[in-house]
Coordinates of all heavy atoms in Angstrom, one line a residue:
M21 N 0.8 -1.2 0.0 CA 0.0 0.0 0.0 C 0.9 1.2 0.0 O 1.7 1.4 0.8 CB -0.9 -0.1 1.2 CG -1.7 1.3 1.3 SD -2.4 1.7 2.9 CE -3.6 0.5 3.1
P22 N 0.7 2.1 -0.9 CA 1.5 3.4 -0.9 C 1.2 4.3 0.3 O 0.1 4.3 0.7 CB 1.0 4.1 -2.3 CG -0.2 3.4 -2.8 CD -0.3 2.1 -2.0
I23 N 2.3 4.9 0.6 CA 2.1 5.9 1.8 C 1.8 7.3 1.2 O 2.4 7.8 0.3 CB 3.5 6.1 2.5 CG1 3.7 4.6 3.2 CG2 3.3 7.0 3.6 CD1 5.1 4.5 3.8
S24 N 0.8 7.8 1.8 CA 0.4 9.2 1.3 C 0.9 10.3 2.4 O 0.6 10.2 3.5 CB -1.1 9.4 1.2 OG -1.5 10.6 0.9
V25 N 1.9 11.1 1.9 CA 2.5 12.1 2.8 C 1.7 13.4 2.7 O 1.5 14.0 1.8 CB 3.9 12.3 2.4 CG1 4.6 13.3 3.3 CG2 4.8 11.1 2.4
D26 N 1.2 13.7 4.0 CA 0.4 15.0 4.1 C -0.8 15.1 3.2 O -0.9 16.0 2.5 CB 1.3 16.2 4.0 CG 0.7 17.5 4.5 OD1 -0.1 17.4 5.4 OD2 1.1 18.5 4.0
P27 N -1.7 14.1 3.2 CA -2.9 14.1 2.4 C -3.8 15.3 2.7 O -4.6 15.7 1.7 CB -3.6 12.8 2.6 CG -3.2 12.4 3.9 CD -1.7 13.0 4.2
E28 N -3.7 15.9 3.8 CA -4.6 17.1 4.1 C -4.0 18.4 3.6 O -4.6 19.4 3.7 CB -4.8 17.2 5.6 CG -5.6 16.0 6.2 CD -4.6 14.9 6.6 OE1 -3.4 15.1 6.6 OE2 -5.1 13.8 6.8
G29 N -2.7 18.3 3.2 CA -2.1 19.5 2.7 C -1.6 20.6 3.8 O -1.4 21.7 3.5
N30 N -1.4 20.0 5.0 CA -1.0 20.8 6.1 C 0.3 21.6 5.9 O 0.4 22.7 6.2 CB -0.9 20.1 7.4 CG -2.4 19.6 7.9 OD1 -3.3 20.3 7.6 ND2 -2.4 18.4 8.4
E31 N 1.3 20.8 5.3 CA 2.6 21.5 5.0 C 2.4 22.6 4.1 O 2.9 23.7 4.3 CB 3.5 20.5 4.4 CG 4.1 19.5 5.4 CD 5.0 18.5 4.7 OE1 4.8 18.1 3.5 OE2 6.1 18.3 5.2
T32 N 1.7 22.4 3.0 CA 1.5 23.4 2.0 C 0.7 24.7 2.6 O 1.1 25.8 2.3 CB 0.7 22.9 0.8 OG1 1.4 21.7 0.4 CG2 0.8 23.9 -0.4
H33 N -0.3 24.4 3.3 CA -1.1 25.5 3.9 C -0.2 26.3 4.9 O -0.2 27.6 4.8 CB -2.3 25.0 4.7 CG -3.3 24.3 3.8 ND1 -3.9 25.0 2.7 CD2 -3.8 23.1 3.9 CE1 -4.8 24.2 2.1 NE2 -4.8 23.0 2.8
A34 N 0.6 25.7 5.7 CA 1.5 26.4 6.6 C 2.5 27.2 5.9 O 2.8 28.3 6.1 CB 2.3 25.4 7.5
L35 N 3.1 26.6 4.7 CA 4.0 27.4 4.0 C 3.5 28.6 3.4 O 4.0 29.7 3.4 CB 4.5 26.4 2.8 CG 5.6 27.0 1.8 CD1 6.8 27.5 2.6 CD2 5.9 26.0 0.7
F36 N 2.3 28.5 2.8 CA 1.6 29.7 2.1 C 1.1 30.7 3.3 O 1.0 31.8 2.9 CB 0.4 29.2 1.3 CG 0.8 28.5 0.1 CD1 -0.1 27.5 -0.5 CD2 2.1 28.5 -0.4 CE1 0.3 26.7 -1.6 CE2 2.4 27.8 -1.6 CZ 1.5 26.9 -2.1
E37 N 0.9 30.3 4.5 CA 0.6 31.2 5.5 C 1.9 32.0 6.0 O 1.8 33.1 6.4 CB 0.0 30.5 6.8 CG -1.5 30.1 6.5 CD -2.1 29.5 7.7 OE1 -1.6 29.6 8.9 OE2 -3.0 28.7 7.6
L38 N 3.0 31.3 5.9 CA 4.2 31.9 6.3 C 5.0 32.9 5.4 O 5.6 33.8 5.7 CB 5.3 30.8 6.7 CG 5.0 30.0 8.0 CD1 6.0 28.8 8.0 CD2 5.0 30.9 9.2
T39 N 4.7 32.6 4.1 CA 5.3 33.5 3.1 C 4.6 33.5 1.8 O 3.8 32.6 1.5 CB 6.8 32.9 2.8 OG1 7.5 33.8 2.0 CG2 6.7 31.5 2.2
D40 N 4.8 34.6 1.1 CA 4.1 34.7 -0.2 C 5.2 34.4 -1.2 O 6.3 35.0 -1.4 CB 3.7 36.3 -0.4 CG 3.1 36.6 -1.7 OD1 2.8 35.6 -2.5 OD2 3.1 37.7 -2.1
L41 N 4.9 33.4 -2.0 CA 5.9 32.9 -3.0 C 5.6 33.4 -4.4 O 6.3 33.2 -5.3 CB 5.9 31.3 -3.1 CG 6.3 30.7 -1.7 CD1 6.1 29.2 -1.8 CD2 7.8 31.1 -1.4
D42 N 4.4 34.1 -4.5 CA 4.0 34.5 -5.9 C 5.1 35.4 -6.6 O 5.4 36.4 -6.0 CB 2.7 35.3 -5.8 CG 1.5 34.5 -5.3 OD1 1.7 33.3 -5.4 OD2 0.5 35.0 -4.8
G43 N 5.6 34.9 -7.7 CA 6.5 35.7 -8.4 C 8.0 35.7 -7.9 O 8.8 36.4 -8.4
H44 N 8.2 34.9 -6.8 CA 9.5 34.9 -6.2 C 10.5 33.9 -6.8 O 10.1 32.9 -7.4 CB 9.4 34.6 -4.7 CG 8.8 35.7 -3.9 ND1 9.1 35.8 -2.6 CD2 8.0 36.7 -4.2 CE1 8.4 36.9 -2.1 NE2 7.8 37.4 -3.1
D45 N 11.8 34.2 -6.7 CA 12.8 33.3 -7.1 C 13.1 32.6 -5.8 O 13.6 33.1 -4.7 CB 14.0 34.0 -7.5 CG 13.8 34.6 -9.0 OD1 13.1 33.9 -9.8 OD2 14.2 35.6 -9.2
V46 N 12.9 31.3 -5.8 CA 13.0 30.4 -4.6 C 14.1 29.5 -4.6 O 14.4 28.8 -5.6 CB 11.6 29.7 -4.4 CG1 11.7 28.7 -3.1 CG2 10.5 30.6 -4.2
L47 N 14.9 29.3 -3.5 CA 15.9 28.3 -3.4 C 15.4 27.3 -2.3 O 14.9 27.7 -1.2 CB 17.2 28.9 -2.8 CG 18.2 27.9 -2.4 CD1 18.7 26.9 -3.5 CD2 19.5 28.6 -1.7
E48 N 15.3 26.1 -2.7 CA 14.7 25.0 -1.7 C 16.0 24.2 -1.4 O 16.6 23.5 -2.3 CB 13.7 24.2 -2.3 CG 13.2 23.2 -1.3 CD 12.1 22.3 -1.8 OE1 11.6 22.6 -2.9 OE2 11.7 21.3 -1.1
I49 N 16.4 24.2 -0.2 CA 17.5 23.4 0.3 C 17.0 22.1 0.8 O 16.2 22.0 1.7 CB 18.3 24.1 1.4 CG1 18.7 25.5 0.9 CG2 19.5 23.3 1.9 CD1 19.2 26.5 2.1
G50 N 17.5 20.9 0.3 CA 17.1 19.6 0.7 C 15.8 19.2 0.1 O 14.9 18.9 0.8
C51 N 15.7 19.4 -1.2 CA 14.5 19.1 -1.9 C 14.1 17.7 -1.9 O 12.9 17.4 -2.2 CB 14.5 19.7 -3.2 SG 15.6 18.9 -4.3
G52 N 15.0 16.7 -1.7 CA 14.7 15.3 -1.8 C 14.1 15.0 -3.1 O 14.7 15.3 -4.2
D53 N 13.0 14.3 -3.1 CA 12.4 13.8 -4.3 C 11.5 14.8 -5.0 O 10.8 14.5 -6.0 CB 11.8 12.5 -4.2 CG 10.6 12.5 -3.2 OD1 10.2 13.6 -2.8 OD2 10.0 11.4 -2.9
G54 N 11.4 16.0 -4.4 CA 10.6 17.1 -4.9 C 9.1 17.2 -4.4 O 8.4 17.9 -4.9
R55 N 8.8 16.3 -3.4 CA 7.4 16.1 -3.0 C 6.9 17.5 -2.6 O 5.6 17.7 -2.8 CB 7.2 15.0 -2.0 CG 7.8 15.4 -0.7 CD 7.4 14.4 0.4 NE 7.7 14.9 1.7 CZ 7.1 15.8 2.4 NH1 6.0 16.3 1.9 NH2 7.5 16.2 3.5
L56 N 7.6 18.4 -1.9 CA 7.2 19.6 -1.5 C 7.3 20.6 -2.6 O 6.4 21.5 -2.8 CB 7.8 20.1 -0.3 CG 7.5 21.5 0.3 CD1 6.0 21.4 0.8 CD2 8.3 21.9 1.4
T57 N 8.3 20.5 -3.3 CA 8.6 21.4 -4.5 C 7.4 21.6 -5.4 O 7.1 22.6 -5.8 CB 9.8 20.9 -5.3 OG1 10.8 20.6 -4.4 CG2 10.3 22.0 -6.2
W58 N 6.8 20.4 -5.8 CA 5.7 20.5 -6.8 C 4.5 21.1 -6.2 O 3.6 21.6 -7.0 CB 5.3 19.0 -7.2 CG 6.6 18.2 -7.6 CD1 6.6 16.8 -7.3 CD2 7.8 18.5 -8.1 NE1 7.8 16.4 -7.7 CE2 8.6 17.4 -8.2 CE3 8.3 19.8 -8.6 CZ2 9.8 17.4 -8.7 CZ3 9.6 19.7 -9.1 CH2 10.4 18.6 -9.2
R59 N 4.4 21.2 -4.9 CA 3.2 21.8 -4.2 C 3.2 23.3 -4.3 O 2.1 24.0 -4.3 CB 3.1 21.4 -2.8 CG 2.8 19.8 -2.7 CD 2.7 19.5 -1.3 NE 2.7 18.1 -1.1 CZ 2.6 17.5 0.1 NH1 2.6 18.2 1.2 NH2 2.6 16.2 0.2
Y60 N 4.3 23.9 -4.4 CA 4.4 25.4 -4.5 C 5.0 26.0 -5.7 O 4.9 27.2 -6.0 CB 5.2 25.9 -3.2 CG 6.7 25.7 -3.3 CD1 7.5 26.6 -4.0 CD2 7.3 24.6 -2.7 CE1 8.9 26.4 -4.1 CE2 8.6 24.4 -2.8 CZ 9.4 25.2 -3.5 OH 10.7 25.0 -3.6
A61 N 5.6 25.1 -6.6 CA 6.4 25.7 -7.7 C 5.6 26.5 -8.7 O 6.0 27.5 -9.3 CB 7.1 24.6 -8.4
S62 N 4.3 26.2 -8.8 CA 3.4 27.0 -9.7 C 3.2 28.4 -9.3 O 2.9 29.2 -10.2 CB 2.1 26.3 -9.9 OG 1.4 26.2 -8.7
R63 N 3.5 28.7 -8.1 CA 3.3 30.1 -7.6 C 4.5 30.9 -7.8 O 4.6 32.1 -7.9 CB 3.0 30.1 -6.1 CG 1.6 29.5 -5.8 CD 1.2 29.8 -4.4 NE -0.1 29.3 -4.1 CZ -0.8 29.7 -3.2 NH1 -0.4 30.7 -2.3 NH2 -2.1 29.2 -3.0
A64 N 5.8 30.2 -7.8 CA 7.0 30.9 -7.9 C 7.4 31.3 -9.3 O 6.9 30.7 -10.2 CB 8.1 30.1 -7.3
A65 N 8.2 32.3 -9.4 CA 8.7 32.7 -10.8 C 9.7 31.6 -11.2 O 9.7 31.2 -12.3 CB 9.4 34.0 -10.7
H66 N 10.6 31.2 -10.2 CA 11.6 30.2 -10.5 C 12.0 29.6 -9.3 O 12.0 30.2 -8.2 CB 12.8 30.8 -11.2 CG 13.8 29.8 -11.7 ND1 14.8 29.5 -10.9 CD2 13.9 29.1 -12.8 CE1 15.5 28.5 -11.5 NE2 14.9 28.3 -12.7
V67 N 12.2 28.2 -9.4 CA 12.7 27.5 -8.2 C 14.1 26.8 -8.5 O 14.1 26.2 -9.5 CB 11.7 26.4 -7.8 CG1 12.2 25.6 -6.7 CG2 10.3 27.0 -7.4
T68 N 15.1 26.9 -7.7 CA 16.3 26.2 -7.7 C 16.1 25.3 -6.5 O 16.1 25.7 -5.4 CB 17.4 27.1 -7.6 OG1 17.4 28.0 -8.7 CG2 18.7 26.3 -7.6
A69 N 16.1 24.0 -6.8 CA 16.0 22.9 -5.7 C 17.2 22.2 -5.7 O 17.6 21.6 -6.7 CB 14.7 22.1 -6.0
I70 N 17.8 22.1 -4.5 CA 19.1 21.4 -4.4 C 19.0 20.3 -3.3 O 18.3 20.4 -2.3 CB 20.3 22.3 -4.1 CG1 20.1 23.0 -2.6 CG2 20.5 23.4 -5.1 CD1 21.3 23.7 -2.2
D71 N 19.8 19.2 -3.5 CA 19.9 18.2 -2.6 C 21.2 17.4 -2.9 O 21.7 17.4 -4.0 CB 18.7 17.1 -2.8 CG 18.6 16.2 -1.6 OD1 19.4 15.3 -1.4 OD2 17.6 16.5 -0.8
P72 N 21.9 17.0 -1.8 CA 23.2 16.4 -2.1 C 23.2 14.9 -2.5 O 24.2 14.4 -3.0 CB 23.9 16.5 -0.7 CG 22.8 16.5 0.3 CD 21.7 17.2 -0.4
Y73 N 21.9 14.3 -2.5 CA 21.9 12.9 -2.8 C 21.4 12.6 -4.2 O 20.3 13.0 -4.5 CB 21.0 12.2 -1.7 CG 21.5 12.4 -0.3 CD1 20.9 13.3 0.5 CD2 22.7 11.8 0.1 CE1 21.4 13.5 1.8 CE2 23.1 11.9 1.4 CZ 22.5 12.8 2.3 OH 22.9 13.0 3.5
E74 N 22.3 11.8 -4.9 CA 22.0 11.6 -6.3 C 20.7 10.8 -6.5 O 19.9 11.2 -7.4 CB 23.1 10.8 -6.9 CG 22.8 10.4 -8.4 CD 24.0 10.7 -9.3 OE1 25.1 11.0 -8.8 OE2 23.8 10.4 -10.5
G75 N 20.4 9.9 -5.6 CA 19.1 9.1 -5.8 C 17.9 10.0 -5.7 O 16.9 9.9 -6.4
S76 N 17.9 11.0 -4.7 CA 16.8 11.9 -4.5 C 16.7 12.8 -5.7 O 15.5 13.1 -6.3 CB 17.0 12.7 -3.3 OG 17.1 12.0 -2.1
I77 N 17.8 13.3 -6.3 CA 17.8 14.2 -7.4 C 17.2 13.4 -8.7 O 16.4 14.0 -9.4 CB 19.2 14.8 -7.7 CG1 19.6 15.7 -6.6 CG2 19.2 15.4 -9.1 CD1 18.6 16.9 -6.4
K78 N 17.6 12.2 -8.8 CA 17.1 11.4 -10.0 C 15.6 11.2 -9.8 O 14.8 11.4 -10.9 CB 17.8 10.0 -10.0 CG 19.1 10.1 -10.6 CD 19.7 8.6 -10.7 CE 21.1 8.7 -11.2 NZ 21.7 7.3 -11.3
R79 N 15.1 11.0 -8.7 CA 13.6 10.8 -8.4 C 12.9 12.1 -8.7 O 11.9 12.2 -9.3 CB 13.3 10.2 -7.0 CG 13.6 8.8 -6.9 CD 13.1 8.2 -5.7 NE 13.7 8.9 -4.4 CZ 14.8 8.6 -3.9 NH1 15.7 7.7 -4.4 NH2 15.2 9.3 -2.7
A80 N 13.5 13.2 -8.2 CA 12.9 14.5 -8.4 C 12.8 14.9 -9.9 O 11.8 15.4 -10.5 CB 13.7 15.6 -7.6
K81 N 13.8 14.7 -10.6 CA 13.9 15.0 -12.0 C 12.9 14.2 -12.9 O 12.3 14.7 -13.8 CB 15.3 14.9 -12.6 CG 16.2 16.0 -12.1 CD 17.7 15.9 -12.8 CE 18.5 17.0 -12.4 NZ 19.8 17.0 -13.0
A82 N 12.7 12.9 -12.5 CA 11.8 12.0 -13.1 C 10.4 12.4 -12.9 O 9.5 11.9 -13.6 CB 12.1 10.5 -12.7
S83 N 10.1 13.1 -11.8 CA 8.7 13.3 -11.4 C 8.3 14.8 -11.5 O 7.2 15.1 -11.0 CB 8.5 12.8 -10.0 OG 9.2 13.6 -9.1
V84 N 9.0 15.6 -12.2 CA 8.7 17.0 -12.4 C 7.4 17.1 -13.2 O 7.3 16.7 -14.3 CB 9.9 17.8 -13.1 CG1 9.4 19.3 -13.3 CG2 11.2 17.7 -12.4
P85 N 6.3 17.7 -12.6 CA 5.1 17.9 -13.4 C 5.4 18.8 -14.5 O 6.1 19.7 -14.5 CB 4.2 18.4 -12.4 CG 4.7 18.2 -11.1 CD 6.2 18.1 -11.2
E86 N 4.8 18.5 -15.6 CA 4.9 19.3 -16.9 C 4.6 20.7 -16.7 O 5.2 21.6 -17.2 CB 4.0 18.7 -18.0 CG 4.2 19.3 -19.4 CD 5.5 19.1 -20.0 OE1 6.1 18.1 -19.8 OE2 6.0 20.1 -20.6
V87 N 3.6 21.0 -15.8 CA 3.1 22.4 -15.7 C 4.2 23.3 -15.0 O 4.2 24.5 -15.2 CB 1.9 22.4 -14.8 CG1 2.0 22.0 -13.4 CG2 1.2 23.7 -14.9
V88 N 5.2 22.7 -14.3 CA 6.2 23.5 -13.7 C 7.6 23.2 -14.2 O 8.6 23.9 -13.8 CB 6.3 23.4 -12.2 CG1 5.0 23.9 -11.6 CG2 6.5 22.0 -11.8
R89 N 7.7 22.4 -15.2 CA 9.0 22.0 -15.8 C 9.9 23.2 -16.2 O 11.1 23.2 -16.1 CB 8.8 21.0 -17.0 CG 10.1 20.4 -17.4 CD 9.9 19.2 -18.2 NE 9.5 18.2 -17.2 CZ 8.8 17.0 -17.5 NH1 8.5 16.8 -18.8 NH2 8.5 16.1 -16.6
D90 N 9.3 24.2 -16.8 CA 10.1 25.4 -17.3 C 10.5 26.3 -16.2 O 11.3 27.2 -16.5 CB 9.3 26.1 -18.4 CG 8.0 26.7 -17.8 OD1 7.5 26.3 -16.8 OD2 7.6 27.7 -18.4
R91 N 10.0 26.2 -15.0 CA 10.4 27.1 -13.9 C 11.2 26.4 -12.7 O 11.4 27.0 -11.7 CB 9.2 27.8 -13.4 CG 8.3 27.0 -12.6 CD 7.1 27.8 -12.1 NE 6.2 28.1 -13.2 CZ 5.3 29.1 -13.1 NH1 5.1 29.8 -12.0 NH2 4.5 29.3 -14.2
V92 N 11.5 25.1 -12.9 CA 12.2 24.4 -11.7 C 13.5 23.9 -12.2 O 13.6 23.2 -13.2 CB 11.4 23.3 -11.3 CG1 12.2 22.5 -10.2 CG2 10.0 23.8 -10.6
D93 N 14.6 24.3 -11.5 CA 15.9 23.8 -11.8 C 16.4 22.9 -10.6 O 16.5 23.4 -9.5 CB 16.9 25.0 -12.0 CG 18.3 24.6 -12.2 OD1 18.6 23.6 -12.7 OD2 19.2 25.4 -11.8
I94 N 16.6 21.7 -10.9 CA 17.0 20.7 -9.9 C 18.5 20.4 -10.0 O 18.8 19.9 -11.1 CB 16.1 19.4 -10.0 CG1 14.7 19.7 -9.9 CG2 16.5 18.4 -8.8 CD1 13.8 18.6 -10.4
Q95 N 19.2 20.5 -8.9 CA 20.6 20.4 -8.9 C 21.1 19.4 -7.8 O 20.6 19.6 -6.7 CB 21.3 21.7 -8.8 CG 21.1 22.7 -9.8 CD 21.8 24.0 -9.6 OE1 22.9 24.0 -9.0 NE2 21.3 25.1 -10.1
R96 N 22.0 18.6 -8.1 CA 22.7 17.8 -7.1 C 23.8 18.7 -6.5 O 24.8 19.0 -7.2 CB 23.2 16.5 -7.6 CG 24.0 15.7 -6.5 CD 24.4 14.4 -7.0 NE 25.1 13.7 -5.9 CZ 26.3 13.2 -6.0 NH1 27.0 13.3 -7.1 NH2 26.8 12.6 -5.0
A97 N 23.6 19.2 -5.3 CA 24.6 20.1 -4.6 C 24.4 20.0 -3.2 O 23.2 20.0 -2.7 CB 24.4 21.5 -5.2
D98 N 25.5 20.2 -2.4 CA 25.2 20.5 -1.0 C 25.2 22.0 -0.7 O 25.8 22.7 -1.6 CB 26.3 19.7 -0.1 CG 27.7 20.3 -0.4 OD1 27.9 21.5 -0.1 OD2 28.6 19.6 -0.8
F99 N 24.6 22.4 0.3 CA 24.3 23.8 0.5 C 25.7 24.6 0.6 O 25.8 25.7 0.0 CB 23.5 24.1 1.7 CG 23.3 25.5 2.0 CD1 22.6 26.3 1.1 CD2 23.9 26.1 3.1 CE1 22.4 27.7 1.4 CE2 23.8 27.5 3.3 CZ 23.1 28.2 2.3
E100 N 26.7 24.1 1.3 CA 27.9 24.8 1.5 C 28.6 25.2 0.2 O 28.9 26.3 0.0 CB 28.8 24.1 2.4 CG 30.0 24.8 2.8 CD 30.8 24.1 3.9 OE1 30.3 23.2 4.6 OE2 32.0 24.4 3.9
R101 N 28.7 24.2 -0.7 CA 29.3 24.5 -1.9 C 28.4 25.4 -2.8 O 28.9 26.3 -3.5 CB 29.6 23.2 -2.8 CG 30.7 22.5 -2.1 CD 31.2 21.2 -2.9 NE 32.2 20.5 -2.2 CZ 32.3 19.2 -2.2 NH1 31.5 18.5 -2.9 NH2 33.2 18.7 -1.5
F102 N 27.1 25.1 -2.8 CA 26.2 25.9 -3.6 C 26.2 27.4 -3.2 O 26.4 28.2 -4.0 CB 24.7 25.4 -3.4 CG 23.8 26.1 -4.3 CD1 23.5 25.8 -5.6 CD2 23.0 27.3 -3.7 CE1 22.6 26.5 -6.4 CE2 22.1 27.9 -4.5 CZ 21.9 27.6 -5.8
A103 N 26.2 27.7 -1.8 CA 26.2 29.0 -1.3 C 27.5 29.7 -1.6 O 27.5 30.9 -1.9 CB 26.1 29.0 0.3
A104 N 28.7 29.0 -1.7 CA 29.9 29.5 -1.9 C 29.9 30.1 -3.4 O 30.7 31.0 -3.8 CB 31.1 28.6 -1.7
S105 N 29.2 29.5 -4.3 CA 29.2 29.9 -5.7 C 28.0 30.7 -6.1 O 27.8 30.9 -7.4 CB 29.3 28.6 -6.6 OG 28.2 27.8 -6.5
S106 N 27.2 31.1 -5.2 CA 25.9 31.7 -5.5 C 25.8 33.1 -4.9 O 26.2 33.2 -3.6 CB 24.7 30.9 -5.2 OG 24.6 29.7 -5.9
A107 N 25.2 34.1 -5.5 CA 25.0 35.4 -4.8 C 23.8 35.3 -3.9 O 22.7 34.7 -4.4 CB 24.8 36.5 -5.8
S108 N 23.8 35.8 -2.7 CA 22.7 35.6 -1.9 C 21.5 36.4 -2.4 O 20.4 36.1 -2.0 CB 23.0 36.2 -0.4 OG 23.4 37.5 -0.4
S109 N 21.7 37.4 -3.2 CA 20.7 38.3 -3.7 C 19.9 37.6 -4.9 O 19.0 38.2 -5.4 CB 21.2 39.6 -4.2 OG 22.2 39.4 -5.1
A110 N 20.4 36.4 -5.2 CA 19.8 35.7 -6.3 C 18.4 35.2 -6.0 O 17.6 34.8 -7.0 CB 20.7 34.6 -6.8
F111 N 18.0 35.1 -4.7 CA 16.8 34.5 -4.3 C 16.0 35.4 -3.4 O 16.6 36.1 -2.5 CB 17.1 33.2 -3.5 CG 17.8 32.2 -4.4 CD1 19.2 32.0 -4.2 CD2 17.2 31.4 -5.3 CE1 19.9 31.2 -5.0 CE2 17.9 30.5 -6.2 CZ 19.3 30.4 -5.9
D112 N 14.7 35.4 -3.6 CA 13.8 36.2 -2.7 C 13.4 35.4 -1.5 O 13.2 35.9 -0.4 CB 12.4 36.5 -3.5 CG 12.7 37.2 -4.8 OD1 13.4 38.3 -4.7 OD2 12.3 36.8 -5.8
T113 N 13.4 34.0 -1.6 CA 12.9 33.2 -0.5 C 13.7 31.9 -0.5 O 14.0 31.4 -1.5 CB 11.4 32.8 -0.7 OG1 10.6 34.0 -0.8 CG2 10.8 32.0 0.4
V114 N 14.0 31.5 0.7 CA 14.8 30.2 0.9 C 13.8 29.3 1.7 O 13.4 29.6 2.8 CB 16.2 30.4 1.5 CG1 16.8 29.1 1.8 CG2 16.9 31.3 0.7
I115 N 13.7 28.0 1.2 CA 12.9 27.0 2.0 C 13.9 25.9 2.4 O 14.6 25.4 1.6 CB 11.8 26.5 1.1 CG1 10.8 27.6 0.8 CG2 11.1 25.2 1.8 CD1 9.7 27.1 -0.2
L116 N 13.8 25.6 3.7 CA 14.6 24.5 4.2 C 13.5 23.6 5.0 O 13.1 23.9 6.1 CB 15.7 24.9 5.2 CG 16.4 23.9 5.9 CD1 17.2 23.0 5.0 CD2 17.4 24.6 6.9
S117 N 13.2 22.5 4.4 CA 12.1 21.7 5.0 C 12.6 20.2 5.1 O 13.1 19.6 4.2 CB 10.9 21.8 4.1 OG 9.9 20.9 4.6
W118 N 12.5 19.7 6.3 CA 12.9 18.3 6.6 C 14.3 18.0 6.1 O 14.5 16.9 5.5 CB 11.9 17.4 5.9 CG 10.5 17.5 6.4 CD1 9.5 18.2 5.9 CD2 10.0 16.8 7.6 NE1 8.4 18.1 6.7 CE2 8.7 17.2 7.7 CE3 10.6 15.9 8.5 CZ2 7.9 16.7 8.7 CZ3 9.8 15.4 9.5 CH2 8.5 15.9 9.6
A119 N 15.2 18.9 6.3 CA 16.6 18.6 5.9 C 17.6 18.9 7.0 O 17.4 19.8 7.8 CB 17.0 19.5 4.7
L120 N 18.6 18.1 7.2 CA 19.6 18.4 8.1 C 20.9 18.6 7.3 O 21.3 17.9 6.5 CB 19.8 17.1 9.0 CG 18.7 16.7 9.8 CD1 19.1 15.4 10.5 CD2 18.4 17.8 10.9
C121 N 21.5 19.8 7.6 CA 22.7 20.1 6.8 C 23.9 20.2 7.8 O 23.8 20.4 8.9 CB 22.5 21.5 6.3 SG 21.2 21.7 5.1

């Protein structure tokens, strides 16, 4: 039997109550397989989703919904290296959910 993660949408509701993502450039640290990414990506202007684990990144890339494919960039990267090569001003919002760095 498949496991349904957050079928009531509590994570998404909480996220939308905490921040306005409409038109924002978002960095998601620890995106895993993208299960949260797909819930908010249609609101953002662009999403850069990073995770250090190749298996997670492969699953995320394989499951990108067509409707957000043009606005989501999924990268295998750990935060420390990513931050060293990125300007902090490149993102309006940063999401860190269920990740330990």
